[in-house]
């Protein structure tokens, strides 16, 4: 929080942003200079295919910017104020993770960093904390060095930053900033605990809102009580909402990928209920209640809770409401983050048997790139579909039909840019273990691929490099025959490199298999 640089762009913009956020905190006694030392990538010097999902060069820049802004944030969260003990590690790491996205978003708004929050840490938090053997954010009684080291994990970083994001959604950035100023100045060069932070936020909330209007008697006035259920309990809730006339019936339960046990949270829902007279979403608090009924002044056609996915919980609805959400998605009703949340919840609920598998795929088919401001929904979809690999392995025929469906959406329906479609297809093949199915589909639709990518040398090269991981004589012969009888345009060199790689893989197995077996037999204890 030294003097702000005059320039408003480049790396200095991050410092300017942090100066704005932390302007009223104590002045630091040192300057921080950050350097990033990277390996020289000759390919990235000349090649950068611009896509919504980012080239290698762009992603590298984003990663460097995130690391730098994360470490700069530790000047406040860790240096000026340090947690009292390791059980509050999240006070350091979660805030540094959350503010790194704010800083990088100022540095380059075109990267859509605030939208990426959902993929980068909210989705990871939801996945990691859905296990019975997770742990609370605040680990009371931790003392062993190995236990302390284990706290540097997804819960401290990602669940913690997700809670801050949720808190900002409830109290607003103005109150969040004011609360941070109270916290940083009150505990400057000292130690603090989670309750100190929450008390500072509550104080800021009362100061700014003055207990008036909609803010009167709000649970946000006592955030220590509210946040205790989120920081001292393991896991998070699944909130199910059902429409009955003009009433909304809410029910919360502990979410686990493999259910076991119950807990209750004090939580809020931002309910997106269609109302022509009042288009603003309404708020509902579950005050340590397992269920709650809210009466409206109209009968809603549908309900969507957790607007902008600010809450750290999963959502479920009646099947008829899911169908309405699919219909609205087809009309472009939802933004990227809400679409990502709907897809993530739908695929996950189908995974545990709480929703028909048709729903997430119906949502997936509605994706159209031109209506979305980022690639987040596509990223979520590919990750979740890749998790179907165990099902695909059990039913080859269904797996082939799934690949056809994905490729129809990517290549036939004009819903996504051509440069992005091939990138998504390749990532799907690698993650899902469906390399052979995808390559087979490529070969059967080669004329279509040539028509689309024949004039794009980099992408055509990516396609012809695809079979390089094969390792049998059968795969070599069929790939060689295919390449020799089809036009390869600018991918010809990579095609022959793929054949060489297959030959090398075959030779590696031939020369090393017996010695490898002997080595393993001698090393592994039965």
């Amino acid at each position: 929080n030294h003097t702000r640089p005059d320039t408003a762009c480049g790396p200095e913009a991050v410092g300017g942003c942090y100066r704005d956020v932390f302007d009223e905190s104590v002045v630091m006694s040192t300057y921080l200079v950050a350097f990033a030392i990277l390996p020289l990538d000759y390919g990235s010097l000349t090649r950068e295919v611009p896509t919504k999902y980012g080239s290698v060069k762009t992603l590298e820049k984003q990663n460097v910017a995130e690391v730098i802004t994360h470490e700069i944030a530790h000047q406040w969260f860790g240096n000026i104020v340090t947690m009292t003990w390791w059980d509050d590690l999240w006070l350091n790491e979660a805030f540094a993770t959350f503010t790194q996205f704010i800083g990088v978003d100022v540095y380059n708004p075109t990267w859509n960093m605030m939208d990426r929050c959902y993929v980068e840490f909210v989705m990871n938090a939801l996945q990691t904390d859905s296990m019975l053997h997770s742990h609370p954010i605040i680990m009371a009684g931790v003392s062993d060095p190995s236990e302390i080291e284990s706290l540097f994990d997804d819960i401290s970083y990602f669940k913690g930053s997700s809670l801050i994001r949720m808190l900002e959604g409830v109290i607003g950035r103005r109150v969040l900033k004011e609360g941070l100023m109270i916290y940083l100045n009150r505990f400057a060069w000292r130690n603090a605990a989670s309750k100190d932070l929450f008390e500072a936020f509550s104080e800021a909330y009362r100061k700014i809102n003055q207990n008036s209007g909609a803010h009167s008697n709000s649970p946000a006035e006592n955030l220590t009580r509210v946040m205790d259920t989120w920081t001292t309990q393991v896991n998070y809730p699944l909130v199910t909402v059902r429409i009955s006339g003009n009433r909304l019936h809410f029910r919360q339960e502990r979410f686990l990928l493999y259910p076991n046990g119950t807990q209750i949270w004090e939580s809020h829902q931002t309910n997106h209920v269609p109302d022509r007279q009042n288009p603003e979403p309404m708020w509902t608090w579950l005050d340590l209640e397992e269920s709650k009924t809210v009466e409206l002044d109209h009968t809603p056609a549908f309900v969507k809770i957790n607007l902008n996915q600010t809450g750290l919980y999963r959502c479920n609805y009646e099947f008829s409401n899911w169908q309405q959400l699919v219909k609205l998605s087809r009309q472009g009703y939802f933004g990227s983050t809400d679409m990502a949340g709907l897809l993530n919840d739908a695929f996950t609920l189908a995974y545990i048997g709480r929703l028909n598998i048709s729903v997430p795929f119906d949502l997936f088919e509605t994706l159209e790139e031109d209506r979305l401001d980022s690639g987040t929904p596509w990223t979520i979809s590919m990750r979740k579909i890749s998790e179907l690999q165990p099902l695909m392995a059990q039913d080859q025929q269904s797996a082939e039909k799934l690949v056809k469906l994905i490729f129809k959406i990517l290549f036939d329906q004009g819903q996504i840019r051509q440069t992005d479609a091939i990138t998504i297809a390749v990532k799907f093949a690698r993650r899902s273990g469906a390399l052979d199915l995808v390559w087979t589909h490529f070969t059967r639709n080669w004329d279509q691929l040539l028509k689309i990518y024949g004039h794009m040398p980099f992408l055509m090269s990516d396609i012809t490099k695809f079979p390089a991981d094969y390792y049998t004589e059968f795969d070599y012969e069929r790939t060689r025959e295919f390449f020799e009888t089809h036009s390869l345009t600018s991918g010809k060199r990579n095609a022959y490199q793929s054949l060489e790689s297959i030959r090398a893989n075959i030779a590696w197995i031939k020369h090393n298999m017996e010695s490898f077996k002997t080595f393993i037999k001698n090393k592994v204890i039965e």
Side-chain angles (χ1 to χ4, degrees):
N1 58 347
H2 289 286
T3 303
R4 180 176 185 171
D6 292 333
T7 180
C9 60
E12 296 87 353
V14 175
C17 167
Y18 281 0
R19 193 262 187 187
D20 283 346
V21 174
F22 304 117
D23 187 31
E24 299 173 14
S25 65
V26 295
V27 177
M28 287 180 284
S29 59
T30 59
Y31 282 91
L32 176 66
V33 180
F35 296 91
I37 301 175
L38 302 173
L40 181 61
D41 180 357
Y42 292 99
S44 68
L45 294 178
T46 57
R47 172 188 176 187
E48 181 171 4
V49 181
T51 75
K52 185 172 286 189
Y53 305 89
S55 66
V56 173
K57 188 174 180 181
T58 298
L59 291 175
E60 187 176 76
K61 289 178 182 178
Q62 291 175 354
N63 291 336
V64 171
E66 287 183 45
V67 170
I68 290 175
T69 51
H70 181 99
E71 301 309 327
I72 290 175
H74 276 312
Q75 290 286 75
W76 290 272
F77 306 107
N79 293 350
I80 289 181
V81 180
T82 306
M83 71 274 186
T84 300
W85 186 241
W86 294 102
D87 55 355
D88 270 326
L89 174 67
W90 80 287
L91 292 176
N92 283 15
E93 300 303 342
F95 270 98
T97 301
F98 179 71
T99 53
Q100 82 186 41
F101 281 82
I102 297 175
V104 177
D105 189 58
V106 171
Y107 169 67
N108 191 331
T110 64
W111 288 347
N112 296 307
M113 293 303 296
M114 300 315 292
D115 186 60
R116 281 183 56 196
C117 285
Y118 186 77
V119 172
E120 295 290 334
F121 57 77
V122 178
M123 182 181 179
N124 286 329
L126 290 170
Q127 183 68 22
T128 301
D129 205 35
S130 62
M131 307 293 182
L132 187 63
H133 289 89
S134 182
H135 68 82
I137 287 179
I138 300 176
M139 281 287 287
V142 63
S143 59
D144 185 84
S146 61
E147 284 185 304
I148 293 171
E149 288 182 0
S150 71
L151 295 182
F152 288 84
D153 63 0
D154 287 359
I155 300 299
S156 296
Y157 284 76
F158 299 143
K159 184 179 181 181
S161 53
S162 298
L163 285 190
I164 298 166
R165 179 174 177 266
M166 180 172 71
L167 189 60
E168 181 191 40
V170 174
I171 64 178
R173 183 163 293 187
R174 182 186 173 194
V175 174
L176 186 79
K177 178 182 175 182
E178 179 68 24
L180 287 177
M181 292 309 99
I182 294 172
Y183 171 75
L184 291 170
N185 284 298
R186 183 172 293 166
F187 296 97
W189 314 118
R190 296 195 293 138
N191 300 99
S194 294
K195 65 179 182 64
D196 300 316
L197 176 70
F198 298 143
E199 287 172 2
F201 283 139
S202 296
E203 183 178 332
Y205 188 88
R206 292 190 295 269
K207 174 183 175 181
I208 290 177
N209 296 306
Q210 298 180 349
N211 197 30
S212 61
H215 302 287
S216 179
N217 299 317
S218 168
E221 292 183 3
N222 185 0
L223 286 172
T224 301
R225 175 177 178 270
V226 173
M227 298 305 290
D228 270 353
T229 59
W230 293 93
T231 56
T232 61
Q233 291 189 139
V234 69
N235 307 128
Y236 56 86
L238 165 66
V239 178
T240 302
V241 60
R242 178 173 58 86
I243 300 174
S244 178
N246 68 332
R247 291 183 174 88
L248 298 179
H249 300 283
F250 295 90
R251 182 176 180 274
Q252 67 161 314
E253 60 188 289
R254 182 184 188 182
F255 181 85
L256 289 168
L257 285 180
Y258 191 73
N260 186 338
T262 59
Q263 293 181 149
I264 299 296
W265 287 259
E266 178 161 352
S267 62
H268 75 283
Q269 281 74 48
T270 47
N271 312 319
H272 194 180
V273 181
D275 183 350
R276 294 178 182 176
Q277 303 299 321
N278 181 21
E280 290 297 316
M282 59 175 286
W283 290 79
T284 300
W285 283 87
L286 295 182
D287 189 3
L288 296 176
E289 301 161 295
E290 185 175 345
S291 60
K292 186 172 187 174
T293 298
V294 176
E295 188 168 336
L296 308 175
D297 59 4
H298 65 286
T299 299
F302 77 96
V303 60
K304 159 71 172 73
I305 62 175
N306 201 7
L307 186 62
N308 296 322
Q309 306 306 124
T310 54
L312 187 65
Y313 49 87
R314 295 196 185 276
C315 310
N316 198 8
Y317 312 92
E318 296 173 287
F319 185 74
S320 58
N321 195 87
W322 276 111
Q323 290 178 311
Q324 285 294 318
L325 296 177
V326 171
K327 181 179 178 181
L328 291 166
S329 175
R330 193 170 286 114
Q331 298 169 6
Y333 191 87
F334 303 110
S336 292
T337 304
D338 274 320
M339 273 306 304
L342 286 169
L343 286 159
N344 190 15
D345 286 344
F347 272 111
T348 304
L349 290 167
Y351 181 88
I352 64 172
R354 297 286 291 268
L355 185 64
N356 191 289
I357 191 67
S358 65
V359 173
F361 277 105
D362 286 343
L363 281 170
F364 175 58
E365 286 189 272
T366 69
L367 292 184
E368 289 193 21
E369 189 173 45
D370 290 343
R371 293 202 301 245
L372 300 170
D373 50 17
S374 81
T376 302
W378 291 96
T379 301
I380 295 287
S381 297
M382 288 301 100
R383 287 189 185 182
K384 302 308 289 188
I385 291 174
S386 296
E387 293 174 3
L388 298 177
Q389 197 275 335
L391 289 178
M392 296 168 66
Q394 296 293 321
D395 188 342
Q396 182 75 8
Q397 187 176 13
S398 294
E400 291 176 1
K401 290 181 178 179
L402 173 60
V403 171
K404 288 181 180 179
L405 171 63
I406 292 172
F407 276 70
K408 179 181 178 182
I409 295 171
L410 292 179
F411 297 103
D412 296 346
Q413 298 180 181
Q415 296 176 204
I416 184 169
R417 286 185 299 190
Q418 296 167 347
T419 52
D420 293 333
I422 195 65
T423 302
I424 293 173
V426 171
K427 286 183 177 180
F428 165 72
R430 304 293 184 196
R431 287 175 175 165
S432 65
L435 184 146
D436 191 57
L437 287 174
V438 172
W439 177 244
T440 299
H441 190 85
F442 278 171
T443 58
R444 290 175 179 173
N445 297 273
W446 195 254
D447 290 341
Q448 180 188 6
L449 290 177
L450 279 181
K451 185 177 180 181
I452 298 173
Y453 300 108
H455 64 289
M456 301 180 186
F458 293 127
L459 293 176
M460 197 63 205
S461 295
D462 285 342
I463 294 172
T464 53
K465 283 192 297 186
F466 203 77
D469 290 338
Y470 283 135
Y471 53 87
T472 68
E473 288 286 352
F474 171 78
D475 290 323
Y476 174 81
E477 288 299 330
R478 67 168 179 162
T479 305
R480 179 188 61 78
E481 182 180 354
F482 179 82
F483 282 154
E484 289 180 352
T485 56
H486 289 78
S487 173
L488 304 174
T489 63
S490 57
K492 187 174 182 179
R493 185 184 302 277
N494 289 97
Y496 286 107
Q497 288 177 352
S498 290
L499 291 174
E500 287 184 59
S501 294
I502 299 173
R503 270 293 180 209
N505 293 339
I506 294 171
W508 187 94
I509 293 173
K510 180 180 179 180
H511 297 151
N512 294 282
M513 181 55 73
E514 291 305 318
S515 58
F516 177 72
K517 288 180 179 179
T518 302
F519 169 78
I520 293 298
K521 182 179 180 180
N522 293 335
K523 289 291 183 181
V524 176
I525 300 175
E526 296 182 357

